[in-house]
Amino acid sequence: MEVILLERVGKLGQMGDVVRVKDGFARNFLLPRGKALRATSDNKARFEGMKAELQAKNLEMKGEAGKLAGAIDGKTYVVIRQASESGQLFGSVSTRDIATLIKADGAEVTRTQVVLNAPIKAIGQYKVPLALHPEVEVSVTVTVARSQDEAERIARGENVLIARTEAEEEAAAALANAESFFEPGAGEAVAEGEEPEAEAAPAGETAEPAKKPRAKKKAAEAKSDAKSED
């Protein structure tokens, strides 16, 4: 079937081009979505009459898409899903899910603008293109994980499908605790078996030595024994 494109369509042509496409593609996609008209004599004359309006509308929509692109291009979104130990999801992440996620973040994106060839069915990190306009395309990163902690591990490049040993879990917990309570870099010291240094005393004050409760206990016991002998 021959059609007149009413907007730029990837791999087909620009607005006003007359192209031949498969009948099913025209009937199921181009014509119902207002992207093309059948290339009849009447429609060709009709297109010439609406060409200026179509061009103005296209420029306006392109400008709006450009603003949206600047706000979301390169952003990362996290999807929490249940999955097996092998990483296979109990379900999938669809274009609708991704569009809803982006909308919740304050950006208006429809599911038809999410370019996903097939639903996501495994945990991991995915680069997902968004066709915001025939001439404006950006991409976002979608991290699919079983928990927020796992999503952070995936973002660090860790292979979460390899189970960590008990020792590795303890080391990771110690590292997180050190980084939350001490100066930056203390986590590495703990991981290497070192203890963080004590904080320096303020100017004009003397730092108190560390208390030794065991030594004080022994002294008290010795004094008690001496009284008993008397």
Side-chain angles (χ1 to χ4, degrees), residues 45-60:
R46 178 185 171 192
F47 171 76
E48 289 301 323
M50 60 193 296
K51 184 175 180 180
E53 182 182 346
L54 288 173
Q55 289 176 333
K57 183 178 179 181
N58 179 66
L59 284 175
E60 181 182 353

Side-chain angles (χ1 to χ4, degrees), residues 95-119:
T95 55
R96 186 187 299 277
D97 295 323
I98 296 174
T100 300
L101 196 66
I102 298 174
K103 279 185 179 181
D105 192 45
E108 282 298 322
V109 173
T110 66
R111 59 176 298 190
T112 59
Q113 293 175 314
V114 180
V115 184
L116 200 62
N117 295 327

